[in-house]
Amino acid sequence: MSTTVIVVIDGFGVGAMPDAGALRPGDLSADTCGHVLDHCRASLGRPLRLPALGALGLGLVHPHPDLARRTSRPVAVGRAALGYPGADTFAGHQTMMGADFSRVTVAPLAGHLDEVSGALKSAGHLVEPLRGQPLLLVDGAVLVHDNLEADPGINWNASARLDDLSFDRIVSIARTVRAVAPVARVIAVGGHADGALATYVRDGDGGTVGLDTPATGFYRNGGLQVRHLGVDLDHTGQLPDVAARAGLPVTLVGKAADILACEAAVRRPAVATAEVLEHTLAAVQGGRGGRGGLVVANVQESDLAGHQQDTGRYGSVLEQVDVGLTELMGLLTAPGDRLVVTADHGNDPTIGHAYHTREYVPVLIHRPDAAGIELLPDAATLADVGATAAAALGLDVAALTTGSTLLGRGRGAP
């Protein structure tokens, strides 16, 4: 049995899509990969050390002086458009796994305050607007608000300080909101803030109002807890479920364990990159006994660095990931094994705001049994990444709701 590992470097875009400036015109200059490389060379006095990404063909997808322009490995390389509106982790992963997410509902909280407030009051909660703004204070501690880290109206958050109440209570409130929310994701967030959350409320784009989560200190102070409550989808048509029904072991690592559905999957949630890589390597080593299987891992700290507009931290995460990719390639050597490195959207830390950026993402496929390099055409959707993984595992691609395999559609390297 072969093993396929999908490593999603969260927020690792390789250049703006043509419609990236529809909401913020400046985003047409977004280039997470290129700008991180440029900044780190200037600040460190050396290029980032990314030999594995170079060997996987990143420099063929995104030419840059600090990336190898050639590789001796028989990789398949290209880039993918997102295939869903905006730039969002949940929508990106669901699309990648085969869901049709092209009709996600975009709805700022302001247009649904009465409905959400009514549901919360019916559940026994005390609900009041905060200073007359279009967000809700629940039980004096939980803010229900627009998510300001994705495009306006895609996600809502239920956020609170863990010093004030337990994460289970935050999740319970988020579930009540989820029951009436038309948006892609309601996110329960608990952490340790530098002060009262109300002091970090600000206006976002498109008439949204919400908590400036990076400014609160949640990402810096340790103990962050997050639960992603997604819109109802037919998960039976997604890659993890299709693989599990075929009898293959499925392991979901990092944020993938929080946002992807598959009852049979082994889940290894983690935020720290070292822990994500450790779980991923362990899953591959555990599958070497002959059962193979599917591993989907999300490296979240790259996305967090983008939100914090911390280019140096972003570069450090990339170097850490690169070491892990070298180890994975050393394990995935059997015929049929695949390592797919990709992303779910961009998050350019130099763009001047803390939102995701709507960028193409790399599709780098390590395939040890191939004869040569294949340069892939641009994929129209991330669903093609999941379909390619399904084909590598010998699964029926037609069992996925959407997506078609990329391999065999490209051309050889010159």
Side-chain angles (χ1 to χ4, degrees), residues 36-120:
V36 169
L37 290 170
D38 291 343
H39 174 92
C40 288
R41 173 182 273 276
S43 61
L44 298 174
R46 63 166 176 83
L48 286 179
R49 299 185 177 100
L50 305 175
L53 285 168
L56 286 165
L58 180 59
L60 300 176
V61 174
H62 186 293
H64 189 279
D66 293 346
L67 293 173
R69 293 298 303 272
R70 297 179 182 276
T71 178
S72 60
R73 291 182 178 268
V75 294
V77 299
R79 62 179 190 170
L82 302 185
Y84 65 89
D88 175 64
T89 294
F90 179 80
H93 282 71
Q94 303 302 332
T95 300
M96 191 184 300
M97 293 300 107
D100 181 359
F101 229 72
S102 60
R103 297 185 180 181
V104 62
T105 301
V106 177
L109 179 60
H112 298 268
L113 288 174
D114 290 344
E115 186 178 4
V116 175
S117 179
L120 288 164

Side-chain angles (χ1 to χ4, degrees), residues 139-142 160-166 169-170 191-193 195-197:
D139 296 340
V142 179
R161 304 192 316 168
L162 294 174
D163 308 280
D164 297 332
L165 77 173
S166 71
R169 286 185 59 194
I170 301 170
H192 300 287
L197 293 190

Side-chain angles (χ1 to χ4, degrees), residues 134-207:
L135 71 167
L136 301 172
L137 180 64
V138 183
D139 296 340
V142 179
L143 285 179
V144 177
H145 60 92
D146 290 307
N147 180 301
L148 302 186
E149 296 171 65
D151 285 329
I154 289 182
N155 303 322
W156 300 345
N157 283 20
S159 304
R161 304 192 316 168
L162 294 174
D163 308 280
D164 297 332
L165 77 173
S166 71
F167 187 60
D168 285 344
R169 286 185 59 194
I170 301 170
V171 172
S172 177
I173 289 168
R175 289 193 187 283
T176 301
V177 176
R178 170 74 276 170
V180 296
V183 295
R185 200 169 22 144
V186 174
I187 309 171
V189 183
H192 300 287
D194 296 331
L197 293 190
T199 62
Y200 302 102
V201 170
R202 65 172 176 82
D203 293 339
D205 288 344

